[in-house]
Short mmCIF file of all heavy atoms in Angstrom, two decimals:
data_model
loop_
_atom_site.label_atom_id
_atom_site.label_comp_id
_atom_site.label_asym_id
_atom_site.label_seq_id
_atom_site.Cartn_x
_atom_site.Cartn_y
_atom_site.Cartn_z
N PHE S 327 45.74 137.69 79.41
CA PHE S 327 44.99 137.02 80.48
C PHE S 327 43.70 137.78 80.82
O PHE S 327 42.70 137.18 81.21
CB PHE S 327 45.89 136.90 81.71
CG PHE S 327 45.38 135.94 82.75
CD1 PHE S 327 45.14 134.62 82.42
CD2 PHE S 327 45.16 136.34 84.05
CE1 PHE S 327 44.68 133.71 83.37
CE2 PHE S 327 44.70 135.45 85.00
CZ PHE S 327 44.45 134.14 84.66
N ARG S 328 43.72 139.09 80.64
CA ARG S 328 42.55 139.92 80.98
C ARG S 328 41.35 139.61 80.09
O ARG S 328 40.20 139.84 80.51
CB ARG S 328 42.93 141.40 80.85
CG ARG S 328 43.96 141.87 81.84
CD ARG S 328 44.50 143.25 81.49
NE ARG S 328 43.45 144.27 81.47
CZ ARG S 328 43.51 145.42 82.14
NH1 ARG S 328 44.56 145.69 82.90
NH2 ARG S 328 42.54 146.30 82.04
N ILE S 329 41.59 139.12 78.88
CA ILE S 329 40.47 138.92 77.95
C ILE S 329 40.06 137.45 77.82
O ILE S 329 39.13 137.13 77.08
CB ILE S 329 40.81 139.49 76.55
CG1 ILE S 329 41.96 138.72 75.90
CG2 ILE S 329 41.12 140.98 76.64
CD1 ILE S 329 42.23 139.13 74.45
N VAL S 330 40.70 136.58 78.58
CA VAL S 330 40.41 135.15 78.49
C VAL S 330 38.93 134.83 78.63
O VAL S 330 38.37 134.05 77.83
CB VAL S 330 41.26 134.37 79.53
CG1 VAL S 330 40.66 133.00 79.82
CG2 VAL S 330 42.70 134.21 79.03
N PRO S 331 38.21 135.39 79.61
CA PRO S 331 36.80 135.00 79.78
C PRO S 331 35.89 135.41 78.62
O PRO S 331 34.78 134.88 78.49
CB PRO S 331 36.38 135.72 81.07
CG PRO S 331 37.65 136.03 81.78
CD PRO S 331 38.65 136.30 80.69
N GLU S 332 36.34 136.36 77.78
CA GLU S 332 35.49 136.89 76.72
C GLU S 332 35.75 136.27 75.36
O GLU S 332 35.08 136.63 74.37
CB GLU S 332 35.66 138.41 76.64
CG GLU S 332 35.39 139.14 77.95
CD GLU S 332 34.00 138.87 78.50
OE1 GLU S 332 33.05 138.78 77.69
OE2 GLU S 332 33.87 138.73 79.73
N VAL S 333 36.71 135.36 75.25
CA VAL S 333 36.99 134.74 73.96
C VAL S 333 35.80 133.88 73.54
O VAL S 333 35.24 133.13 74.35
CB VAL S 333 38.27 133.89 74.02
CG1 VAL S 333 38.50 133.18 72.68
CG2 VAL S 333 39.48 134.76 74.37
N ASP S 334 35.43 133.98 72.27
CA ASP S 334 34.28 133.23 71.75
C ASP S 334 34.71 131.78 71.47
O ASP S 334 35.06 131.42 70.35
CB ASP S 334 33.76 133.89 70.48
CG ASP S 334 32.42 133.31 70.02
OD1 ASP S 334 32.06 132.21 70.48
OD2 ASP S 334 31.75 133.96 69.20
N VAL S 335 34.65 130.98 72.51
CA VAL S 335 35.09 129.58 72.42
C VAL S 335 34.17 128.77 71.52
O VAL S 335 34.62 127.87 70.80
CB VAL S 335 35.19 128.96 73.83
CG1 VAL S 335 35.57 127.49 73.73
CG2 VAL S 335 36.21 129.71 74.67
N ASP S 336 32.88 129.08 71.52
CA ASP S 336 31.95 128.36 70.66
C ASP S 336 32.31 128.55 69.19
O ASP S 336 32.28 127.60 68.39
CB ASP S 336 30.52 128.83 70.91
CG ASP S 336 29.99 128.38 72.26
OD1 ASP S 336 30.53 127.40 72.81
OD2 ASP S 336 29.05 129.02 72.77
N ALA S 337 32.66 129.79 68.82
CA ALA S 337 33.06 130.05 67.43
C ALA S 337 34.36 129.34 67.10
O ALA S 337 34.53 128.83 65.98
CB ALA S 337 33.20 131.55 67.21
N LEU S 338 35.28 129.28 68.06
CA LEU S 338 36.55 128.60 67.85
C LEU S 338 36.35 127.11 67.64
O LEU S 338 36.96 126.50 66.75
CB LEU S 338 37.47 128.86 69.04
CG LEU S 338 38.84 128.20 69.00
CD1 LEU S 338 39.65 128.67 67.80
CD2 LEU S 338 39.59 128.47 70.30
N ARG S 339 35.47 126.52 68.43
CA ARG S 339 35.17 125.09 68.27
C ARG S 339 34.51 124.82 66.92
O ARG S 339 34.77 123.81 66.28
CB ARG S 339 34.26 124.61 69.39
CG ARG S 339 34.92 124.52 70.76
CD ARG S 339 34.03 123.76 71.73
NE ARG S 339 34.63 123.64 73.05
CZ ARG S 339 34.18 124.28 74.13
NH1 ARG S 339 33.14 125.08 74.03
NH2 ARG S 339 34.77 124.11 75.28
N ALA S 340 33.64 125.72 66.51
CA ALA S 340 32.90 125.52 65.26
C ALA S 340 33.80 125.67 64.04
O ALA S 340 33.56 125.02 63.01
CB ALA S 340 31.74 126.52 65.18
N ASP S 341 34.83 126.51 64.16
CA ASP S 341 35.72 126.77 63.03
C ASP S 341 37.15 126.88 63.55
O ASP S 341 37.69 127.98 63.69
CB ASP S 341 35.30 128.06 62.32
CG ASP S 341 36.15 128.34 61.08
OD1 ASP S 341 36.81 127.41 60.58
OD2 ASP S 341 36.17 129.51 60.64
N PRO S 342 37.78 125.74 63.85
CA PRO S 342 39.11 125.78 64.48
C PRO S 342 40.18 126.39 63.59
O PRO S 342 40.24 126.11 62.39
CB PRO S 342 39.40 124.30 64.77
CG PRO S 342 38.53 123.54 63.84
CD PRO S 342 37.30 124.37 63.65
N LYS S 343 41.00 127.24 64.19
CA LYS S 343 42.12 127.85 63.47
C LYS S 343 43.29 128.01 64.43
O LYS S 343 43.11 128.26 65.63
CB LYS S 343 41.71 129.19 62.86
CG LYS S 343 41.08 130.17 63.81
CD LYS S 343 40.31 131.27 63.06
CE LYS S 343 39.05 130.76 62.40
NZ LYS S 343 38.25 131.82 61.72
N VAL S 344 44.49 127.82 63.92
CA VAL S 344 45.70 127.83 64.74
C VAL S 344 46.01 129.24 65.23
O VAL S 344 45.86 130.22 64.50
CB VAL S 344 46.89 127.28 63.93
CG1 VAL S 344 48.20 127.48 64.67
CG2 VAL S 344 46.69 125.81 63.63
N LEU S 345 46.44 129.33 66.49
CA LEU S 345 46.95 130.56 67.08
C LEU S 345 48.47 130.42 67.23
O LEU S 345 48.96 129.39 67.68
CB LEU S 345 46.32 130.78 68.45
CG LEU S 345 46.94 131.88 69.33
CD1 LEU S 345 46.62 133.26 68.76
CD2 LEU S 345 46.44 131.76 70.77
N ILE S 346 49.22 131.46 66.87
CA ILE S 346 50.67 131.46 66.96
C ILE S 346 51.13 132.55 67.91
O ILE S 346 50.75 133.71 67.75
CB ILE S 346 51.32 131.68 65.58
CG1 ILE S 346 50.80 130.66 64.56
CG2 ILE S 346 52.84 131.59 65.68
CD1 ILE S 346 51.12 131.02 63.14
N GLY S 347 51.93 132.20 68.90
CA GLY S 347 52.47 133.16 69.85
C GLY S 347 53.13 132.44 71.00
O GLY S 347 53.12 131.20 71.07
N TYR S 348 53.70 133.21 71.92
CA TYR S 348 54.30 132.60 73.11
C TYR S 348 54.38 133.66 74.20
O TYR S 348 53.83 134.75 74.06
CB TYR S 348 55.67 131.98 72.81
CG TYR S 348 56.82 132.95 72.61
CD1 TYR S 348 57.84 133.07 73.55
CD2 TYR S 348 56.91 133.73 71.46
CE1 TYR S 348 58.89 133.93 73.37
CE2 TYR S 348 57.96 134.58 71.25
CZ TYR S 348 58.95 134.69 72.22
OH TYR S 348 60.01 135.56 72.02
N SER S 349 55.01 133.33 75.32
CA SER S 349 55.13 134.22 76.47
C SER S 349 53.74 134.51 77.04
O SER S 349 53.03 133.59 77.43
CB SER S 349 55.86 135.50 76.07
OG SER S 349 56.22 136.27 77.20
#
Side-chain angles (χ1 to χ4, degrees):
F327 195 57
R328 295 169 60 128
I329 65 173
V330 160
E332 304 303 321
V333 177
D334 190 343
V335 177
D336 290 338
L338 179 61
R339 289 192 180 110
D341 183 18
K343 52 198 70 177
V344 171
L345 169 71
I346 306 166
Y348 74 109
S349 191

